[in-house]
Amino acid sequence: MIRINDEIKRELSEILRADLKDPGIGVITSVLKVDTTTDLKYCKVYVSVFGDKQKKEKVIKHVLD
C-alpha cells in the first residue's frame, strides 16, 4: 500500500503542476499525503496550497471543475 500511495502522490503532483501553470493562479501546491483503501476504491489526498485565501479558493475551484 505504501508503494501505491507513493505512486498516486507522484502522479497527482505532476498533474497539479502541469494543470496549475496558469499565470493567473500563480501559487505553490504540494501533495502532502495519500491514503488509499485496501480495496483501491477510494483515495484521500492531502494537498497544501501556499498563498492567500483568494488564491487558495481559486485553486480549489480550478481543480474541482
Side-chain angles (χ1 to χ4, degrees), residues 1-52:
M1 286 311 295
I2 293 171
R3 289 174 61 194
I4 291 171
N5 288 336
D6 287 343
E7 186 63 29
I8 292 171
K9 180 180 173 182
R10 188 176 313 112
E11 290 296 322
L12 284 175
S13 294
E14 288 182 26
I15 291 168
L16 283 175
R17 189 175 307 118
D19 197 38
L20 295 176
K21 282 191 176 183
D22 181 9
I25 296 175
V27 295
I28 298 172
T29 60
S30 56
V31 179
L32 302 175
K33 182 179 177 184
V34 175
D35 286 330
T36 308
T37 58
T38 53
D39 61 359
L40 303 177
K41 279 183 121 177
Y42 300 100
C43 181
K44 186 181 284 190
V45 179
Y46 299 87
V47 179
S48 174
V49 180
F50 183 73
D52 60 9

